Amino acid sequence: MNTRKGALPIVDRPLSKGRNEVSLSAFAFLFSELVQYSQTQVSTVTELEHRLEEIGRRVGEKVLELLCFREKASRREIRLLGMLSFIHTTVWKCLFGKAAESLERGTDNEDEYMISDRELLVNRFISVPRDMGQLNCGAYVSGVVKGILNSAGFPAQVSAHYVAVEGQSRPRTTILMKFTDEVMEREHRLGS
C-alpha cells in the first residue's frame, strides 16, 4: 500500500524514460557488424538494402510500441500529419538524439512526404567499398519508418535516397514515403 499522499499507484505511472544514450562507438560497431553480416547473405546492393530495410521494419514496430507506452498521455494518432510529426520529432529524438532536419510534402504528388537529414547516423561511419557503388545504409532507417507507419495503420512505400547538397561533399539522406490510396482517402474523409 502506498502511504504517500497523492502518489499514483505503480500501474498508473508512465514507463521510465531511463537513459536514452548509447555509446556512439558501440552503436557504430554493432551497425557495422549488422551490415557486414547482411552483406554475406546477399549478392547485390539492392538485396543488401532490402535486407537492411527488413531489419529496420522490425525495429520500427517495437519503437512505436515502446514510445506509445512511454508517453504519459499516449494516444493513437489518426491523422497523417500528426503521425509524420511524431516520427519527425519524437522518434528521431529517441533514435538519433535530435529531430530530423525537415519534413516536407512532395511537390508532384499529394501522397508523398519526405523526411531529410544531412548527417544520418547510420551513414556517418560506413565506408562503402567500390564494388557496392551507391549503397545507402539509410535503407535501415527507411525500414524503421515503414515499420512505424504500417503498425500505426498508415501503410506506405518507404525508401531512402541520397540527395546532393551544393557546397557539401556528403549528400543528405531523404526518406521518401508514398502512402497508399486507403490512407489518403481516410485523410480526406477526416477533413484535411
Side-chain angles (χ1 to χ4, degrees):
M1 200 72 182
N2 196 346
T3 59
R4 293 186 302 164
K5 188 175 181 178
L8 291 173
I10 194 164
V11 294
D12 291 335
R13 293 183 207 153
L15 288 177
S16 170
K17 291 192 180 190
R19 244 182 112 182
N20 287 344
E21 296 177 17
V22 172
S23 166
L24 190 56
S25 59
F27 173 78
F29 174 73
L30 288 174
F31 189 73
S32 173
E33 288 297 313
L34 173 71
V35 172
Q36 288 177 24
Y37 174 75
S38 297
Q39 188 177 353
T40 64
Q41 307 297 312
V42 297
S43 57
T44 67
V45 173
T46 306
E47 289 174 355
L48 178 57
E49 287 179 345
H50 180 70
R51 188 170 182 96
L52 291 173
E53 182 182 330
E54 228 5 75
I55 295 167
R57 183 189 56 77
R58 291 182 291 204
V59 170
E61 293 167 356
K62 307 242 184 313
V63 166
L64 177 65
E65 188 175 343
L66 171 70
L67 290 176
C68 285
F69 283 126
R70 192 177 274 175
E71 296 294 317
K72 188 174 183 178
S74 63
R75 64 181 185 94
R76 183 176 176 261
E77 287 290 344
I78 59 170
R79 300 299 303 264
L80 181 59
L81 285 179
M83 179 52 71
L84 290 173
S85 177
F86 172 76
I87 292 170
H88 173 262
T89 55
T90 307
V91 171
W92 234 256
K93 283 180 185 176
C94 175
L95 295 177
F96 306 117
K98 65 178 183 75
E101 289 179 8
S102 68
L103 170 63
E104 305 167 23
R105 185 177 195 166
T107 55
D108 297 336
N109 300 317
E110 71 173 33
D111 62 347
E112 290 183 353
Y113 288 84
M114 296 166 278
I115 295 177
S116 297
D117 204 336
R118 193 173 329 129
E119 279 290 321
L120 195 60
L121 188 62
V122 297
N123 286 332
R124 189 181 304 170
F125 300 107
I126 298 294
S127 299
V128 180
R130 291 185 193 273
D131 63 327
M132 286 298 193
Q134 286 294 315
L135 171 65
N136 187 347
C137 291
Y140 174 79
V141 178
S142 74
V144 171
V145 171
K146 183 175 186 171
I148 290 170
L149 290 171
N150 288 345
S151 295
F154 295 90
Q157 297 278 343
V158 183
S159 56
H161 304 276
Y162 283 129
V163 177
V165 178
E166 194 168 319
Q168 296 202 352
S169 61
R170 296 184 66 132
R172 75 175 180 197
T173 303
T174 298
I175 308 297
L176 175 66
M177 299 159 282
K178 183 170 178 59
F179 292 93
T180 62
D181 293 337
E182 163 196 336
V183 173
M184 300 314 292
E185 288 170 9
R186 181 178 66 213
E187 195 65 20
H188 286 298
R189 272 196 318 265
L190 291 172
S192 65

